[in-house]
Amino acid sequence: MPAIVLVGAQWGDEGKGKATDLLGDRVDYVVRYQGGNNAGHTVVIGDKKFALHLLPSGILTPAVIPVIGNGVVIDLRVLFDELDGLTAQGVDVSKLRISANAHIITSYNVTIDKTIERFLGKRAIGTTGRGIGPTYGDKIGRMGIRVQDLFDESILRQKVESALITKNNLLTKVYNRAAIHADEVVAELLQYVERLRPMVADTALELHQALEAGKTVLLEGGQGTLLDIDHGTYPFVTSSSPIAGGATIGSGIGPTKITSVIGILKAYATRVGAGPFPTELFDEWGELLRANGGEFGTTTGRARRCGWFDAPVARYATRINGLTDFFLTKLDVLTGIKQIPVCVAYDVDGVRYEELPVSQTDFHHAKPIYENYPGWSEDISGVKTFEELPKNAQDYVLALEKLSHCRISAIGVGQDRNATIVRHNLLG
């Protein structure tokens, strides 16, 4: 049975939560496989809006078992605050599974993240300051704290003390900050142990057994393709691999089990934080997209940078992820625009690039080459089939499909969970 990967095809914030929620009643497990509480999904169900920062979107579907995989980094305070918030809204969170191998964001990771960003000044990367990067750094440096470590106080203390040898030297001698005491860190982490214990499992084994038993597993990334640590606009990226290849590492599911990869693609483009963004708009059109699309970060509240659709980015996502389908979101945001520009290539110092330049310098200097498509004025938020869309909206979708080199199988036409047109079966 299928293991399906759902991945952002731009810089994140494409609407992955809506896509996961759409598929939720047809899958058995939804797995978050990377990232931390530096990303957010917003799902609207009726008159309720749910903002998820760390939890898989599938937690909103009663029949689904939600899983936080080994590739995720977890701030326990944020985790339980989010669980409590959902419980208060009537959501059953009792089925949540958490990998014993997932890494914990400690208070010193958050301190170091904020301190370094502040120290860098104008050269700052634009992190969320939530300790994500330093936690992944500890993981790769083999000094991280894993979920399973919390159940052995002796091991936990040894690991915290070892980590603080280098952390405190950095804080006190380089950044002139106060040292952090191991006792405080250990005590803070241990307060969550008993509540955490029943949620922790060998999730890789459970997911394998689920697939063997004919269950369907949906794997959900936290950010977008262009924020991937290897394949994104480095160094303005996240600290993990949200691309489809990262799903196998972050979940423990082997690559041969994955049957389809769905890319989430916004009908225009947005980005949060620093870094190159060729189609970015600094005029009234950018403001219009931001206002109509509600383009403010679910997790940070920061205003997103807005721009026109970038076809080379979409083609890149198709290739890097091995996409089988696109889910196009927020088509309704473009309603009322008479002529909609689409970036079809770049100009870099007089040279035309059909694909993303390999050089960071060239991509920073890339200027979009646009083609214009006629817009539409009709309200499309209640449209149920592709054929009911205005002719110009249909043509726009078909143009993006051709430019992106991958079929567009679903289209979001409004905020509500049911405001989606399905052209092809996303589950194969």
Side-chain angles (χ1 to χ4, degrees):
M1 292 300 290
I4 302 152
V5 180
L6 199 67
V7 59
Q10 294 156 316
W11 281 276
D13 306 309
E14 300 94 347
K16 293 180 290 296
K18 181 179 176 66
T20 306
D21 189 58
L22 172 71
L23 296 168
D25 60 356
R26 289 179 286 163
V27 302
D28 301 289
Y29 286 78
V30 175
V31 185
R32 175 80 180 273
Y33 62 82
Q34 56 78 221
N37 57 303
N38 56 339
H41 303 318
T42 300
V43 179
V44 178
I45 303 176
D47 59 353
K48 289 186 177 180
K49 181 180 285 189
F50 298 90
L52 305 176
H53 309 281
L54 183 60
L55 295 168
S57 299
I59 201 164
L60 299 174
T61 303
V64 164
I65 296 176
V67 177
I68 294 178
N70 56 274
V72 177
V73 292
I74 304 171
D75 184 318
L76 293 172
R77 180 189 60 78
V78 172
L79 172 68
F80 289 116
D81 282 351
E82 195 165 325
L83 288 171
D84 290 343
L86 291 179
T87 300
Q89 289 181 277
V91 178
D92 177 13
V93 299
S94 62
K95 293 182 180 179
L96 178 65
R97 308 279 201 274
I98 299 174
S99 170
N101 291 338
H103 279 247
I104 297 294
I105 300 171
T106 65
S107 55
Y108 55 78
N109 293 136
V110 176
T111 298
I112 286 172
D113 195 359
K114 291 179 178 178
T115 301
I116 291 175
E117 277 288 282
R118 193 176 301 118
F119 187 81
L120 287 172
K122 67 179 183 180
R123 292 183 175 84
I125 299 298
T127 77
T128 58
R130 285 163 166 75
I132 312 297
T135 304
Y136 277 114
D138 283 357
K139 176 179 178 176
I140 300 303
R142 293 164 293 183
M143 62 175 71
I145 309 298
R146 298 196 293 180
V147 167
Q148 60 179 278
D149 297 330
L150 272 64
F151 305 120
D152 187 326
E153 185 175 346
S154 175
I155 290 291
L156 175 63
R157 183 171 296 277
Q158 289 177 45
K159 290 192 171 187
V160 170
E161 289 175 347
S162 295
L164 284 177
I165 292 172
T166 57
K167 308 299 181 188
N168 279 333
N169 271 296
L170 181 67
L171 287 169
T172 60
K173 296 178 180 178
V174 176
Y175 297 116
N176 196 30
R177 295 289 298 271
I180 294 171
H181 299 289
D183 287 346
E184 295 174 2
V185 176
V186 171
E188 180 184 1
L189 294 176
L190 288 177
Q191 68 179 309
Y192 299 106
V193 167
E194 292 313 312
R195 190 173 178 191
L196 185 65
R197 194 185 299 275
M199 303 176 186
V200 178
D202 183 347
T203 55
L205 175 61
E206 183 170 345
L207 292 170
H208 170 78
Q209 291 172 336
L211 289 168
E212 290 293 303
K215 306 288 187 183
T216 300
V217 176
L218 184 65
L219 299 144
E220 174 187 73
Q223 285 100 359
T225 298
L226 273 293
L227 294 180
D228 187 88
I229 187 68
D230 283 297
H231 300 286
T233 50
Y234 191 89
F236 304 99
V237 293
T238 195
S239 300
S240 56
S241 290
I243 64 168
T248 64
I249 298 169
S251 67
I253 293 176
T256 56
K257 298 291 186 182
I258 294 172
T259 55
S260 58
V261 183
I262 303 167
I264 313 305
L265 191 66
K266 199 174 286 187
Y268 47 101
T270 62
R271 174 167 198 163
V272 172
F277 184 12
T279 67
E280 184 172 10
L281 297 166
F282 301 95
D283 55 14
E284 67 274 11
W285 292 113
E287 290 299 327
L288 183 143
L289 292 176
R290 186 175 299 110
N292 290 358
E295 297 298 351
F296 299 90
T298 302
T299 295
T300 64
R302 288 187 291 182
R304 294 174 184 144
R305 301 157 64 190
C306 296
W308 299 120
F309 187 89
D310 189 320
V313 162
R315 288 195 290 271
Y316 182 76
T318 298
R319 174 166 56 87
I320 290 294
N321 292 292
L323 296 180
T324 56
D325 301 87
F326 272 123
F327 187 134
L328 185 72
T329 63
K330 293 197 171 185
L331 183 65
D332 54 301
V333 173
L334 301 179
T335 298
I337 301 175
K338 291 184 178 180
Q339 291 288 322
I340 306 172
V342 171
C343 172
V344 296
Y346 305 125
D347 179 286
V348 181
D349 297 328
V351 178
R352 183 183 174 103
Y353 283 76
E354 300 289 334
E355 305 292 342
L356 267 64
V358 69
S359 162
Q360 175 184 330
T361 301
D362 286 344
F363 196 47
H364 269 282
H365 291 95
K367 293 181 172 57
I369 297 173
Y370 287 117
E371 289 183 2
N372 290 318
Y373 291 84
W376 59 93
S377 58
E378 300 92 331
D379 179 9
I380 63 172
S381 60
V383 170
K384 300 300 182 185
T385 68
F386 184 71
E387 291 71 25
E388 291 178 73
L389 284 172
K391 178 64 164 55
N392 287 350
Q394 292 184 39
D395 290 344
Y396 183 75
V397 172
L398 294 174
L400 299 193
E401 185 174 66
K402 183 177 180 181
L403 288 165
S404 302
H405 297 175
C406 182
R407 71 179 187 176
I408 294 174
S409 295
I411 305 161
V413 293
Q415 274 200 338
D416 191 78
R417 73 190 307 187
N418 297 317
T420 301
I421 296 169
V422 178
R423 296 178 68 209
H424 306 286
N425 183 6
L426 287 169
L427 294 183

